[in-house]
Amino acid sequence: MESGDPLAARALALDVLMRVEEIGAHADATLAGALAAARLDVRDRALASRLVYGTLAWQGRLDWQLARLADRDCASFDPRIRMTLRLGLYQLTLLDRVPPHAAVATSVELAKRAVPAASRLVNAVLRRAARERASLPLPDPAADPLEHLAVAFSHPRWLVERWRRRFGDGVRDLLAADNEAAPTVLRARPGEREALMSRLAATGIACEPGRFAPDAIRVQAADPHALPGWSDGAFSVQEEASQLVTWLLEPRPGMRVLDACAAPGGKAAHAAERMRDQGTIVAGDRRRRGAAAIARNAARLGLHAIRPIVFDARAAEATLAHGSFDRILVDAPCSGLGTLRAHPEIRWRRTPDDLRRLATTQRRILDAATPLLRPGGVLVYSTCTLTDEENADVVDRWLAAHPELRRERADEILPPSARALVDDAGALRTLPHRHGLDGFFAVRARRV
């Protein structure tokens, strides 16, 4: 696909969205691959990215309104036509800079390429949407407040119900924050943030320092892998809250560190940089492709302390020597519900059963990793979710089962800029609607 084709950005977005829906692909990786293969200019790359993330985030509301505009269930449409309609309605109702006639015309042309016989249907539905877009309905909040929130803010009803219990009146702000575009955040090498910002600014890239993590830089870029400095390892792409987890781990030169669930290796690389590449970081993943991704990332950054291995963290105590690590990071598999800005498709894939299953896995990994910690060593447990089942409940049961561990407050370890992110119990806890960060949770404990 090339710029100059008026449909290029929209056709690329449609292809990415179809792969996300049909084969369960991850939107961020699929979009990055598609952008790398396309020859689009900066404007079209930005439009394609906004269409992918926005359409996924607002999918629930779009489908609810499309069903009423077309007088039929969205599930009855051909999948590619359904996605074309979502794209068109998203542009009509939620983007400011796309003229209605352009949103309708380009959607009809996409339909002609996919299912020509359905192009008249697409034209009729979207023309009606263009006429009525200022008054399209939503569920009556007086009749069913939960359903209103779920459709208006495009989240599954079960998740809205759970978060209303957890966050009370703040639930609307959280739901709204989940639908905002995630900022692109880089992690400069330790002590090199100013130099990297100068390098980016010299090429016209707008950037600013992060608020909380000392090495973080926020940039305006649809494809950070195309920025100067990526190929020579001057930075990594890593959300700011994620960077703070490594600060909480506090790795030092010469230490022996285990990153038990390491792929794709961002936190292991950050730890290696903070250790000045001196010491050993055993970076495990249960999949070969995960270990390979860790190795590629370490090679790009020129880091030699990282030792990727294939292993099941749930059986870590049977694989690695007991008492052999100064630091252990269990960045556990989780529901990812704190990262809906960057991974909007997750909300449509998770179920309440997933939370129970994941909590069981998280407890098994913690129980298996704890014996590997040497006396005086530190273990950090972290997730990128907001659910108590995967956060506080897991930690409470883990610490109760291991009296050899003592919990330590995060605000005594984190840099001063991040200490306001620590809750009353001493955990690092970030929230999209309060801090403008992904929702992360992390607890630190020391073996006595």
Side-chain angles (χ1 to χ4, degrees), residues 297-345:
N297 193 48
R300 182 184 67 83
L301 295 167
L303 297 169
H304 305 286
I306 298 175
R307 303 281 186 269
I309 64 170
V310 178
F311 90 133
D312 187 341
R314 294 170 296 183
E317 61 178 337
T319 307
L320 300 167
H322 287 207
S324 61
F325 290 96
D326 302 289
R327 297 286 186 269
I328 296 176
L329 173 60
V330 174
D331 185 38
C334 71
S335 61
L337 293 171
T339 65
L340 296 185
R341 300 181 307 169
H343 306 286
E345 73 275 20

Side-chain angles (χ1 to χ4, degrees), residues 64 139-140 144-152 157 160:
W64 194 90
D140 182 356
D144 190 340
L146 272 182
E147 185 67 6
H148 174 78
L149 287 173
V151 173
R157 182 183 175 104
V160 175

Side-chain angles (χ1 to χ4, degrees), residues 110-167:
L110 286 175
K112 287 180 179 176
R113 294 182 180 183
V115 185
S119 61
R120 294 180 65 181
L121 167 69
V122 170
N123 185 54
V125 171
L126 293 184
R127 283 189 179 280
R128 179 181 174 188
R131 290 193 303 272
E132 301 175 6
R133 62 196 176 112
S135 58
L136 287 176
L138 291 171
D140 182 356
D144 190 340
L146 272 182
E147 185 67 6
H148 174 78
L149 287 173
V151 173
F153 292 99
S154 194
H155 283 63
R157 182 183 175 104
W158 70 267
L159 192 54
V160 175
E161 185 173 15
R162 178 179 295 263
W163 281 350
R164 191 171 70 165
R165 288 198 304 268
R166 174 70 177 76
F167 297 102

Side-chain angles (χ1 to χ4, degrees), residues 239-282:
E239 209 273 341
E240 207 169 342
S242 176
Q243 297 182 33
L244 293 173
V245 172
T246 309
W247 281 88
L248 190 57
L249 187 66
E250 200 187 15
R252 299 172 186 165
M255 281 185 166
R256 182 171 163 80
V257 177
L258 171 64
D259 186 347
C261 313
K267 295 182 182 67
H270 192 194
E273 290 172 350
R274 289 183 51 77
M275 293 162 61
R276 297 197 291 273
D277 207 22
Q278 299 171 19
T280 300
I281 299 175
V282 178

Side-chain angles (χ1 to χ4, degrees), residues 317 322-323 328 363 365-379 395-408 444-448:
E317 61 178 337
H322 287 207
I328 296 176
R363 290 194 296 269
I365 293 174
L366 279 172
D367 287 338
T370 299
L372 309 182
L373 195 63
R374 68 178 39 151
V378 166
L379 191 154
V395 168
D396 288 347
R397 291 181 62 168
W398 168 54
L399 293 179
H402 294 277
E404 72 274 24
L405 296 174
R406 292 287 183 275
R407 186 166 175 162
E408 296 186 334
R444 169 181 164 120
R446 184 183 297 274
R447 183 176 179 183
V448 296

Side-chain angles (χ1 to χ4, degrees), residues 24 42 65 84 134 144 153-154 174 185 187 199 254 359 366 423 436 438:
V42 172
Q65 292 181 329
T84 300
D144 190 340
F153 292 99
S154 194
L174 173 57
V185 183
R187 189 194 74 237
R199 183 177 179 183
L366 279 172
D423 67 14
D438 281 348

